[in-house]
Amino acid sequence: MHVLVTWGSKRGGTEGIAHIVAEALEDRGHEVTAVSAEAVDRVEGFDAVVVGGALYANRWPANVRRFVRRHVRALRRVPVWFFSSGPLDESADRRAIEAPTQVAVLAERVGAKGHVTFGGRLAPDAEGFPASAMAESNAGDWRNPPRIRAWANELADALPEATPGEPVEHPARSMPRLLAHGALGWAACTAVMMGLLQVASLGVALTVHAIAAPLVFVALAWHYFRARGAREPLSTATAFTAIVVVLDLVVVGGAIQQSLAMFASFAGTWLPFALIFGATWATGALMSTMPWEAPGEDEGSDQEPGGGADASASRASAPSA
C-alpha cells in the first residue's frame, strides 16, 4: 500500500517521529512518501495517510492544520491516523494522553482511525519564547523510538484491511450559525450607536462605540467558539468583520443615510471594524488553547489502541517539537 506520512514541526522533533514511522512502515513492505505538510499538493493516489503535529499550547502548527482543512474531502476517502508530540517528560509513555480539542476536532472531521501522543524534544539551545525559557529546566528528548516503531507496526498490521473512518459534521461550523453571530453583533453595535446619539454628542458617541463594539464581539466570539467544531479564529474574524461592513454599507449607508459619508470617518467606521476583527480573532485564538469542553459534552470517549481520535481534553503540550 502507498502511505503518505506528513507532519507539521517547528524544531524538527515531530519530523523525526514521522521518519521513524515511515521507516517502520517501509520495513513492513509498504511504499511510503514522507513529506512536510506544506509540501503536499494532493492526497489522491495514496491508500492511507498518517498526519503528525507538534503541540504548542494545545495546538498543532498552522501548516498541518491547513493541510487537514484543505484536504478534508480526500482524507475522508482513505484510512487516516493522527499523532502528536509535546510532553517534555515520560507522561506519554506512562499513559494514553488524549488529543487536545482542536486536534480531536480535526480528527473527527476526517474520520481519523486513531490518535496517539508521543513525548517531545526540546534542545538546550532552543531559541524564541517560551522555548528558550523552558529549555533551561526541561531540555531533553522523550520521543521513545521503540514505542513509535511499535505504533507504526500496529498501523502496518491494520493497513491491508483498513477502511476510511466515519467523519463527523460539526453543526458549529455551519454557515447560518456564522452569519447569525455576525449579524447579531452588527445589530447590537448599531443599537448602541443609535442610543448614544440620542443622549451624547457625536464625538462622545463615536468614542464609546469604539470601545463597546469590540466588547460586543468578544462576548459573541466567546459564545461562537465555545461550541465544539467552530471555524478557525482567523476565518471567523474575517467573516464577522465582512458581515458588519456589508450591513453598514447596505442598511446604514444605503437605506438609512443614503450616503457613504460614514466610510470617510476613521474613528467612526474603520477603527471599529479593525477592533471587531482583532477582538474576534484574539478571543478565538485564546479559547483554542484552552483544554476544556463545552457544557453537556463527554469528558472522554472509548478509544482504540494507540489513542482515540474523539478525545479532546489535553493533559500536556509544550513548544517542544
Side-chain angles (χ1 to χ4, degrees):
M1 298 183 70
H2 193 185
V3 183
L4 170 64
V5 177
T6 188
W7 63 85
S9 178
K10 291 185 178 180
R11 304 177 187 279
T14 305
E15 179 180 355
I17 293 175
H19 283 297
I20 294 174
V21 172
E23 291 170 3
L25 292 175
E26 287 179 336
D27 290 344
R28 295 291 300 276
H30 296 287
E31 180 184 357
V32 179
T33 296
V35 63
S36 62
E38 65 268 20
V40 179
D41 294 325
R42 55 189 293 119
V43 175
E44 290 78 7
F46 292 100
D47 301 307
V49 179
V50 179
V51 185
L55 290 175
Y56 296 84
N58 291 324
R59 295 165 60 87
W60 271 1
N63 62 337
V64 72
R65 300 198 312 268
R66 283 194 297 267
F67 163 80
V68 175
R69 294 198 303 270
R70 186 181 303 122
H71 300 287
V72 164
R73 292 185 180 179
L75 290 171
R76 288 177 174 180
R77 293 194 286 265
V78 296
V80 178
W81 285 267
F82 280 9
F83 73 84
S84 298
S85 69
L88 298 178
D89 54 31
E90 297 177 349
S91 59
D93 294 334
R94 293 195 300 264
R95 66 178 185 273
I97 296 179
E98 299 171 342
T101 300
Q102 184 207 62
V103 177
V105 166
L106 290 174
E108 291 165 0
R109 289 190 65 199
V110 301
K113 308 288 285 185
H115 170 275
V116 63
T117 300
F118 299 111
R121 183 195 68 172
L122 183 61
D125 58 350
E127 299 179 352
F129 181 83
S132 58
M134 295 182 65
E136 296 179 2
S137 57
N138 290 88
D141 191 341
W142 288 270
R143 289 177 294 177
N144 193 346
R147 178 171 175 249
I148 298 168
R149 292 192 186 94
W151 181 72
N153 283 326
E154 290 181 10
L155 300 191
D157 291 336
L159 279 172
E161 298 182 1
T163 57
E166 188 68 29
V168 175
E169 296 290 352
H170 296 98
R173 293 184 59 82
S174 73
M175 184 59 67
R177 182 172 183 269
L178 180 72
L179 295 175
H181 277 76
L184 180 60
W186 171 83
C189 291
T190 301
V192 168
M193 187 63 180
M194 293 178 63
L196 288 169
L197 289 174
Q198 300 299 316
V199 298
S201 65
L202 178 60
V204 171
L206 291 176
T207 300
V208 175
H209 178 259
I211 297 172
L215 294 179
V216 166
F217 275 87
V218 165
L220 276 169
W222 182 91
H223 184 270
Y224 179 82
F225 291 114
R226 190 80 167 88
R228 184 179 182 85
R231 294 170 183 261
E232 289 282 307
L234 182 59
S235 61
T236 302
T238 302
F240 282 2
T241 307
I243 290 168
V244 172
V245 171
V246 170
L247 289 175
D248 271 354
L249 179 66
V250 174
V251 179
V252 180
I256 299 177
Q257 297 181 348
Q258 298 183 347
S259 168
L260 300 183
M262 62 178 289
F263 288 91
S265 170
F266 172 78
T269 303
W270 297 106
L271 178 59
F273 289 165
L275 292 175
I276 286 169
F277 177 90
T280 301
W281 176 83
T283 302
L286 176 62
M287 292 180 68
S288 69
T289 68
M290 296 179 177
W292 44 255
E293 288 293 336
E297 294 185 351
D298 295 336
E299 293 299 322
S301 62
D302 294 337
Q303 301 182 25
E304 300 178 19
D310 295 337
S312 58
S314 173
R315 296 173 185 167
S317 65
S320 58

